[in-house]
Amino acid sequence: MTGPGDPPEGTPNGAPGGGEDEYRSVVFDESFVRAARLQEFSADERLGEQHSPAVKPRHRWLLRAAGGSRQAILLVLLIVLAFGTAVYMGVRHPYKTPETARVQPLRSSVVPLAPNGAVPGATPEDLFAHSPAKDFAVGAAGVNLPSVARTEHFSDGQIVSALTIAKDYLVRSSLDPATLTGGSVRPVRLLLDTGQLDQFDRSMTHPDDNGRLAATGWLVRFDPRQTRLADRNVRVNGTLSATESSPDALDVTADYTFVYAVRPTDQALKTGPADHGVGKVTPGAASLFTVRREVHFRIDRDGLADHRLEVVQSNLQAGPLACSSMPADTLRPLLAGQRAGYDRPTSTDPYARGRANPSLCGDLAPSAQPSPSRPIR
């Protein structure tokens, strides 16, 4: 018989009963045990309220963003397709974009001016003092820049830059003693547009008086075997002007007269007068040689940046020269004491289908010749 404090089934696990058990008074009947609810807490609940989850839940707005990203990808694909179509249609467009102006080859002409009598000879100082060039400036000082005003597409500074490039070309090609006496032409070449370099090189190595390949179209150069400078101070007078020919280019026009004092070389004195003139050269006497250059330049925006220009047209009148002297490589002045002779341009038949005769010759006006007070004989 069990005690009043024991459960009906007896002591659990065969444990002996006794009043000394402190839990004997706690009795759980069968109905209490069956009614008890077992609850197991989650990991978050066991960690407490202050714990933030390692992985955040996907909310609805994230789901909407995922759907929106797909729409964005579709939109990008549509834009790329539209851009590709536009490029394709642009390539296939029947109206082509205007091409930039190509570099034009130089066109040049040389007209010899023949004197009516013997070429006067004297000292350079006496010759200049009694010539129309007596009031001309000396050297580069005679190539002055005009006052300028901006145009529709070019500032006044850009126009000044274009005029400065043209002045540099005139100085290097008409006043540099090395250029004048058959020396290096590299300083002139450096100022030319790269598109004209091949024509320039051929004009220097294989000159021809065909209007395209004459060395004298690019620069002033004397035959160093016959002529040397008697005075390095060349007299200069003329004008420079610039106009806008297009939104991307300027036209610069130079019209200058250069007067040189020259004398025969020792070789010319030993071998006698050159075959283009008659008469004996006066030993020790200098003479004047006049060159008028009308040069048209084109300078585009790239030329302004690179300090280069195109020489479009060059017209040269020079004397005293013999009419038979059609210089393509160098100029061969008639020297003091020489005459032009009686040669004149050959007749031209306009009905002939051969090559046209481009030879021209003019008379050097007496007023263009100096009247020295003490000619050297």
Side-chain angles (χ1 to χ4, degrees):
M1 184 175 180
T2 61
D6 294 329
E9 295 80 9
T11 304
N13 297 326
E20 69 275 10
D21 187 356
E22 59 180 340
Y23 295 104
R24 184 176 295 277
S25 59
V26 181
V27 179
F28 298 96
D29 58 13
E30 185 178 358
S31 60
F32 174 80
V33 172
R34 290 178 178 176
R37 298 179 60 186
L38 297 178
Q39 181 178 2
E40 183 178 358
F41 292 98
S42 66
D44 286 339
E45 291 172 333
R46 290 196 299 270
L47 289 174
E49 296 180 356
Q50 303 301 324
H51 172 66
S52 58
V55 180
K56 295 185 179 179
R58 292 172 62 90
H59 299 288
R60 293 181 179 178
W61 67 271
L62 289 175
L63 297 176
R64 289 196 298 269
S69 64
R70 287 193 291 270
Q71 294 176 358
I73 293 173
L74 250 142
L75 181 61
V76 170
L77 288 175
L78 287 174
I79 291 174
V80 170
L81 181 61
F83 179 76
T85 304
V87 171
Y88 175 78
M89 293 301 293
V91 172
R92 301 284 295 177
H93 199 280
Y95 301 102
K96 296 183 179 180
T97 304
E99 297 181 356
T100 56
R102 296 181 179 179
V103 176
Q104 298 297 321
L106 166 67
R107 302 183 305 275
S108 64
S109 65
V110 179
V111 178
L113 303 178
N116 292 320
V119 177
T123 63
E125 297 77 14
D126 198 16
L127 290 170
F128 281 125
H130 295 86
S131 76
K134 62 181 179 180
D135 295 325
F136 285 8
V138 175
V143 186
N144 294 316
L145 303 186
S147 57
V148 299
R150 62 170 298 120
T151 62
E152 183 178 358
H153 300 97
F154 290 90
S155 67
D156 51 356
Q158 290 173 317
I159 297 174
V160 169
S161 296
L163 292 169
T164 301
I165 299 172
K167 174 179 178 176
D168 289 347
Y169 184 87
L170 292 173
V171 171
R172 296 185 189 183
S173 64
S174 307
L175 299 174
D176 185 0
T179 302
L180 296 175
T181 56
S184 174
V185 296
R186 188 171 183 271
V188 179
R189 191 179 188 272
L190 290 174
L191 289 175
L192 293 174
D193 189 283
T194 55
Q196 289 189 318
L197 293 181
D198 182 64
Q199 183 188 9
F200 178 81
D201 293 339
R202 285 187 294 157
S203 300
M204 297 299 112
T205 56
H206 299 90
D208 192 339
D209 62 346
N210 58 3
R212 295 293 179 94
L213 296 177
T216 48
W218 301 97
L219 44 82
V220 177
R221 182 166 63 172
F222 300 112
D223 185 350
R225 299 168 300 178
Q226 300 286 326
T227 309
R228 63 189 179 94
L229 294 176
D231 189 347
R232 288 174 173 259
N233 294 323
V234 182
R235 296 338 191 243
V236 183
N237 186 53
T239 59
L240 266 177
S241 62
T243 58
E244 180 180 315
S245 59
S246 72
D248 295 317
L250 290 168
D251 281 345
V252 178
T253 302
D255 185 357
Y256 276 87
T257 299
F258 303 90
V259 185
Y260 307 88
V262 296
R263 59 166 39 106
T265 61
D266 294 339
Q267 180 180 349
L269 292 174
K270 290 179 181 178
T271 59
D275 56 4
H276 58 270
V278 297
K280 185 178 179 180
V281 178
T282 304
S287 59
L288 296 187
F289 186 76
T290 304
V291 174
R292 180 176 178 179
R293 296 186 76 189
E294 296 179 76
V295 190
H296 295 270
F297 306 102
R298 181 181 181 272
I299 305 175
D300 57 17
R301 296 186 183 276
D302 291 337
L304 289 175
D306 299 337
H307 204 78
R308 291 178 179 269
L309 48 71
E310 300 172 35
V311 187
V312 179
Q313 179 77 39
S314 174
N315 299 321
L316 186 144
Q317 300 176 21
L321 286 172
C323 288
S324 59
S325 175
M326 294 301 298
D329 54 348
T330 58
L331 298 172
R332 301 176 180 86
L334 294 174
L335 301 170
Q338 287 190 291
R339 299 176 181 271
Y342 299 100
D343 58 311
R344 286 293 182 266
T346 59
S347 60
T348 301
D349 183 2
Y351 294 96
R353 291 302 175 186
R355 179 182 174 186
N357 182 7
S359 62
L360 296 173
C361 188
D363 287 329
L364 185 62
S367 59
Q369 289 290 305
S371 301
S373 57
R374 295 182 180 178
I376 298 177
R377 300 184 182 279

